[in-house]
Amino acid sequence: VNKASLVVNEATTSSEIHQLMKKNKIQQIPVVNEDKKLVGLVVDNILQAQKTLNNNFIIMAGGRGKRLKPLTNRVPKPMIKVKGKPIIDHIIYQAIQEGCASFTISVNYLSHIIKNYLGDGSHLGVNISYIQETEPLGTAGSLSLLSPDPISNIVISNGDVLTNINYSDMLEFHINNQADATMAVSQFNWDNPYGVVTLDGIYLKSYEEKPRSNFLVNAGMYVLSPKVLSKIPKQEYLDMPFFLDTLKNMGFKVVAFPTHESWIDIGKPEDLKKTKR
């Protein structure tokens, strides 16, 4: 009926929606997809009924971001700005919306820039501590430097991921499934630019014009139970996917949490361009 209705899209973050409601003095706002079809409704009192997560939230921010050079010649990748603020800000603010108040950031390359920018987190009303790598240890290896040892599940995010995932849902999924490790996975569609030919010897068997393939990909977010952290070798390079595969082979319960929220892994210049669109 109201063709000029104020709406948001599926990629709009909780904090952005809350600011829109406050600015326009409204208590609810519709969510629409790319075709302007109604897909949801956000209600302010539900938005503000945040859960308090006592779990430590760890951000892996030590990488050199080689594929984003020359942007990363002077700043670490998590400090590249998207929508006017660094990527790491988006990650922290999203987690704060979920009630997270305790953060640990693993740093290495140009670590002083991140430390000087975020400090101890007091200006955000949270506590921020740091894991300082002396050499690259990968997205799992730096967890061997956590001190003291965690006594509850930890939530982990790569420092180059933009998403509006509900971290409390992922944590609840991990607990309800009695998992030892949980990986967030996202749907990825790839359009083949060529016609695909299948042969039987030298004979044409089938032909498919520019097929679309669907994959589940690692979204770069995890939950780990405390008991698996002792399986991480001290001061050795170890990436998280390899570590999860090792845990699976050792008999630990490793599960996947499907996320349907917006998600971009900013690893290449074209990924950064996507965020601007």
Side-chain angles (χ1 to χ4, degrees), residues 53-274:
L53 299 181
N54 296 318
N55 308 73
N56 194 13
F57 192 100
I58 300 175
I59 301 174
M60 296 299 173
R64 298 186 67 89
K66 293 180 180 179
R67 292 180 295 171
L68 282 172
K69 285 182 176 294
L71 291 176
T72 52
N73 284 341
R74 295 187 178 183
V75 296
K77 181 162 59 171
M79 290 297 295
I80 292 175
K81 289 187 177 181
V82 173
K83 287 188 176 180
K85 59 186 179 184
I87 296 170
I88 201 166
D89 264 354
H90 290 279
I91 297 172
I92 291 174
Y93 288 142
Q94 179 66 24
I96 289 175
Q97 292 297 318
E98 294 287 317
C100 294
S102 178
F103 294 83
T104 298
I105 303 176
S106 180
V107 293
N108 182 2
Y109 176 64
L110 298 178
S111 61
H112 65 282
I113 295 178
I114 295 176
K115 289 181 175 180
N116 291 341
Y117 179 75
L118 292 174
D120 63 2
S122 56
H123 63 293
L124 297 172
V126 300
N127 177 64
I128 296 178
S129 60
Y130 298 89
I131 299 172
Q132 179 65 62
E133 297 179 343
T134 55
E135 58 184 40
L137 294 176
T139 50
S142 63
L143 296 177
S144 68
L145 303 179
L146 280 172
S147 182
D149 293 334
I151 58 174
S152 59
N153 297 311
I154 58 173
V155 182
I156 303 162
S157 173
N158 289 347
D160 56 1
V161 172
L162 284 180
T163 179
N164 59 357
I165 187 176
N166 190 315
Y167 293 110
S168 57
D169 281 354
M170 184 167 69
L171 182 61
E172 186 177 2
F173 179 89
H174 176 87
I175 294 170
N176 290 344
N177 285 281
Q178 299 180 329
D180 298 310
T182 298
M183 170 193 285
V185 296
S186 181
Q187 182 78 34
F188 177 77
N189 301 317
W190 182 70
D191 294 317
N192 193 322
Y194 305 104
V196 175
V197 176
T198 303
L199 298 179
D200 182 5
I202 63 170
Y203 297 98
L204 181 67
K205 185 176 181 180
S206 66
Y207 176 84
E208 188 174 3
E209 179 65 27
K210 299 179 181 178
R212 163 170 282 202
S213 300
N214 302 307
F215 308 94
L216 286 175
V217 298
N218 178 10
M221 295 165 285
Y222 315 89
V223 178
L224 295 181
S225 299
K227 64 181 180 180
V228 305
L229 297 177
S230 62
K231 305 303 178 183
I232 300 176
K234 296 285 186 181
Q235 296 284 359
E236 290 185 19
Y237 187 94
L238 181 65
D239 276 328
M240 190 65 74
F242 184 82
F243 177 54
L244 297 188
D245 193 52
T246 300
L247 290 177
K248 177 178 66 68
N249 293 334
M250 293 173 67
F252 286 98
K253 188 174 184 180
V254 180
V255 302
F257 173 72
T259 173
H260 305 287
E261 291 84 359
S262 64
W263 171 82
I264 298 178
D265 177 357
I266 303 176
K268 303 183 294 296
E270 51 265 36
D271 299 324
L272 194 57
K273 291 178 181 177
K274 287 181 184 178

Side-chain angles (χ1 to χ4, degrees), residues 9-46:
N9 61 42
E10 295 171 285
T12 311
T13 66
S14 297
S15 59
E16 290 170 333
I17 294 174
H18 182 71
Q19 291 169 11
L20 273 175
M21 289 180 173
K22 186 176 180 180
K23 181 179 179 180
N24 292 278
K25 298 180 180 179
I26 55 177
Q27 282 73 50
Q28 55 272 328
I29 190 165
V31 183
V32 298
N33 61 19
E34 293 180 352
D35 298 321
K36 305 300 181 184
K37 300 291 185 181
L38 183 68
V39 295
L41 178 72
V42 181
V43 182
D44 194 37
N45 62 351
I46 296 177

